[in-house]
Amino acid sequence: DKVYNTILAQTGYKQFNVDQAMLQMYLDSVLASRPPSLGNPVNKSTVLFSVGQSTKIVEDLITYSITNRYKTDGSGLKPFNELNEEFKRNAVMEYYRAHLEEFNEEFNLQMKELKDGNLLFDIMMREVWSTTQSDTTGQKTFYDQNKSKYKWSYSADAVIFYCGDDATAK
């Protein structure tokens, strides 16, 4: 909870003023495949909250609820408040993970280093390795000029005997 509250503050979470009772009525109607009650100010485009540059609307809550409205132990539906809070937590954490380089300087530096490394690798591949791979004449000339460096010295002198049994070997 402490980490989540810190992330909540970092991401710039902002709750919009939505009547929770009306939201629950609308959600219950939609999930039960019934038309929402007349006069309900909540609709699928109603803005619930924003996280950073992302805005979550009722339609996002409906999509989340369709998959996550049942308790994991199979004992039935989750209460509206629990489902709504879970949706909020999930949206905040998802935004945080997707924008981690904005919130964590070390991660940002590591990502930049990785991008720079990939860029360097790509340049080396195009400018050095690909051209030398296809330059067989250049490779042969280089080998001929440095032939003495490519000689393998003997590493051992050995005589190998094969014997049919231990007595003969001794």
Side-chain angles (χ1 to χ4, degrees), residues 123-136:
I123 291 169
M124 291 294 288
M125 186 64 155
R126 274 187 281 125
E127 301 298 326
V128 178
W129 300 321
S130 294
T131 53
T132 56
Q133 237 177 353
S134 58
D135 183 17
T136 54

Side-chain angles (χ1 to χ4, degrees), residues 21-41:
M22 292 294 180
L23 176 61
Q24 183 177 357
M25 285 174 40
Y26 182 83
L27 187 65
D28 288 344
S29 296
V30 170
L31 293 176
S33 299
R34 293 188 317 257
S37 58
L38 296 173
N40 189 337

Side-chain angles (χ1 to χ4, degrees), residues 98-114:
H99 298 89
L100 190 56
E101 63 273 2
E102 295 171 23
F103 304 110
N104 186 320
E105 185 58 32
E106 288 178 12
F107 182 76
N108 186 24
L109 292 173
Q110 192 171 13
M111 289 302 292
K112 283 181 180 177
E113 196 173 299
L114 183 64

Side-chain angles (χ1 to χ4, degrees), residues 8-102:
L8 196 64
Q10 284 180 335
T11 56
Y13 173 82
K14 182 182 177 202
Q15 178 75 43
F16 289 92
N17 192 15
V18 177
D19 185 340
Q20 295 299 301
M22 292 294 180
L23 176 61
Q24 183 177 357
M25 285 174 40
Y26 182 83
L27 187 65
D28 288 344
S29 296
V30 170
L31 293 176
S33 299
R34 293 188 317 257
S37 58
L38 296 173
N40 189 337
V42 176
N43 61 50
K44 68 179 184 176
S45 303
T46 302
V47 178
L48 298 173
F49 58 87
S50 66
V51 182
Q53 304 302 317
S54 172
T55 303
K56 294 297 179 183
I57 59 175
V58 172
E59 189 169 21
D60 298 325
L61 176 60
I62 292 168
T63 304
Y64 180 83
S65 298
I66 289 170
T67 336
N68 299 290
R69 68 182 177 162
Y70 292 100
K71 294 180 182 178
T72 54
D73 63 2
S75 62
L77 296 171
K78 292 177 188 173
F80 168 76
N81 291 338
E82 181 182 332
L83 187 63
N84 196 20
E85 181 62 27
E86 198 178 279
F87 170 67
K88 178 178 104 173
R89 280 180 174 260
N90 185 54
V92 168
M93 295 306 288
E94 205 172 270
Y95 183 85
Y96 181 76
R97 278 190 294 273
H99 298 89
L100 190 56
E101 63 273 2
E102 295 171 23

Side-chain angles (χ1 to χ4, degrees), residues 131-132 134-146:
T131 53
T132 56
S134 58
D135 183 17
T136 54
T137 310
Q139 288 177 4
K140 174 100 172 90
T141 305
F142 181 82
Y143 172 76
D144 289 338
Q145 290 172 351
N146 297 286

